[in-house]
Amino acid sequence: MSFLTWLFGKQSKNAADSIQVADPVLRVDNLYMLPRHMQEVNRLDFQHYMLRTAFQANYLAPISNPITVLDVACGTGRWMLDVAQDFPSASITGIDLAPPDPATSKISFPASCRFLQGNIIKGLPFDDQSFDFVHQRFLVLALPLQYWEADIRELVRVTRSGGWLELVEADLEFHNQGSAGTRLYSWIEQASQQRGIDVTIGRKIETFARTAGLTHVSEHKVEIPMGNWGGRIGSMLATDFSTAVIAIKPLVTSTLKIDSQEYDYTLQTWLQECEQLHATYDFTIVYGQRS
Ligand SMILES: C[S@@+](CC[C@H](N)C(=O)[O-])C[C@H]1O[C@@H](n2cnc3c(N)ncnc32)[C@H](O)[C@@H]1O
């Protein structure tokens, strides 16, 4: 089976048209912008491996032998699985609007991993200072700007004194972007704004972390090439992002009344521009310690 067949499923030729936004959680909360079908599950897993390759680590915070770890918005749980292997005696908790069901997940989770259903906007169901290490990655298309400060305060609340919090986020703007990329970015930004979502959140999380009272706050930018011109990691990022742009298509085209073919053409032109202009993308990692 080719990689693209695995990622998109059998209907890869018309993957964009096959995606339906028929997601009960999305309908209830109506904020998270990406769907939860199998292509998206596969994309998140693939994205995890791409980030691990690019960062050369599962986390950057200077943690050592945590006993309790929390992953907020844990998605498919791939990060938790890796961290469970790094720290076999740690107890790892994942919380998400739609966490994986270990009984049916294609991942075989060790007994040290447990999953809870929860909405970070409503707060976390844990006592103060419950975790040695708290991690949250990619809520950029889920949390409206008005909730971010409270979200990070809540993450700090459940981090124990001396423990670490790490945030990984995206800022959806590229370096060396052409006109199709600028157009696509503008569409995603406009559709996000209509939900109160700020696609530049990656630029703000360091300030939020400091405001929430963390010490030793450190921000890192990891720049990744976008496209085959950048070798294996560049091809991986292009696959990841083009899949995400296809996944978000129903929401963006219906919100902004954009023609389906125009959207697809802009996506293809953007991918060509990334090759010609040597586009790159920055991921932002911020970590800090609770005093
Ligand atoms: C882009 S995925 C990232 C998943 C995972 N952190 C990763 O890096 O692979 C975003 C995740 O956030 C979850 N999510 C969205 N809004 C949420 C909320 N308000 N509370 C908890 N989880 C949320 C979604 O269900 C989804 O699994």
Side-chain angles (χ1 to χ4, degrees):
M1 180 168 60
S2 74
F3 166 70
L4 283 176
T5 308
W6 172 77
L7 189 60
F8 287 115
K10 287 203 175 103
Q11 67 286 58
S12 63
K13 197 159 160 247
N14 295 315
D17 299 329
S18 72
I19 290 170
Q20 309 284 322
V21 183
D23 180 331
V25 179
L26 185 62
R27 266 184 267 127
V28 170
D29 291 275
N30 206 25
L31 290 173
Y32 182 46
M33 295 176 67
L34 285 163
R36 279 185 195 76
H37 47 56
M38 190 45 77
Q39 288 104 326
E40 178 62 4
V41 166
N42 289 338
R43 185 188 73 82
L44 288 178
D45 287 349
F46 176 74
Q47 180 174 260
H48 170 74
Y49 294 121
M50 180 203 65
L51 292 173
R52 196 177 67 182
T53 306
F55 297 177
Q56 299 185 330
N58 287 311
Y59 52 84
L60 299 189
I63 57 170
S64 64
N65 293 322
I67 302 299
T68 47
V69 176
L70 174 65
D71 190 20
V72 174
C74 61
T76 63
R78 284 278 167 191
W79 181 88
M80 293 170 59
L81 183 68
D82 273 3
V83 171
Q85 282 159 4
D86 290 344
F87 302 109
S89 52
S91 151
I92 325 256
T93 304
I95 190 163
D96 198 291
L97 280 180
D101 177 355
T104 54
S105 168
K106 57 184 181 172
I107 305 176
S108 175
F109 289 104
S112 59
C113 292
R114 68 167 177 149
F115 293 93
L116 300 174
Q117 200 273 329
N119 182 346
I120 181 66
I121 290 173
K122 296 182 177 159
L124 292 169
F126 309 112
D127 292 338
D128 294 359
Q129 305 207 28
S130 296
F131 298 95
D132 298 319
F133 183 40
V134 176
H135 176 259
Q136 179 184 276
R137 186 168 75 182
F138 295 146
L139 276 178
V140 57
L141 293 179
L143 270 194
L145 180 60
Q146 69 179 107
Y147 295 112
W148 272 92
E149 286 193 74
D151 165 55
I152 294 177
R153 275 201 308 275
E154 185 65 353
L155 302 181
V156 172
R157 179 185 71 75
V158 300
T159 307
R160 78 161 169 78
S161 175
W164 291 86
L165 166 62
E166 179 159 320
L167 307 162
V168 181
E169 274 309 333
D171 167 349
L172 299 188
E173 203 164 15
F174 286 77
H175 301 294
N176 306 332
Q177 187 154 272
S179 58
T182 303
R183 201 157 180 226
L184 204 50
Y185 175 82
S186 154
W187 286 340
I188 294 173
E189 185 181 32
Q190 285 175 55
S192 304
Q193 272 170 356
Q194 295 204 12
R195 297 182 155 217
I197 283 172
D198 179 351
V199 294
T200 68
I201 204 68
R203 296 174 208 169
K204 302 187 170 115
I205 52 174
E206 184 194 12
T207 305
F208 291 156
R210 290 185 192 282
T211 311
L214 290 179
T215 61
H216 303 108
V217 174
S218 182
E219 182 190 60
H220 301 258
K221 299 269 184 200
V222 177
E223 186 176 9
I224 303 186
M226 169 79 189
N228 296 330
W229 72 270
R232 180 166 173 264
I233 194 77
S235 308
M236 289 173 90
L237 185 65
T239 302
D240 177 24
F241 275 13
S242 51
T243 311
V245 168
I246 291 168
I248 208 173
K249 173 183 169 181
L251 189 145
V252 174
T253 52
S254 63
T255 305
L256 302 178
K257 310 276 179 281
I258 295 164
D259 177 70
S260 169
Q261 285 182 348
E262 187 185 357
Y263 189 91
D264 293 345
Y265 175 77
T266 307
L267 165 59
Q268 293 311 321
T269 312
W270 171 55
L271 292 173
Q272 289 162 13
E273 282 176 359
C274 288
E275 300 293 349
Q276 287 156 6
L277 301 175
H278 288 194
T280 66
Y281 183 81
D282 284 343
F283 287 92
T284 305
I285 303 122
V286 170
Y287 60 80
Q289 188 172 34
R290 178 164 178 174
S291 50

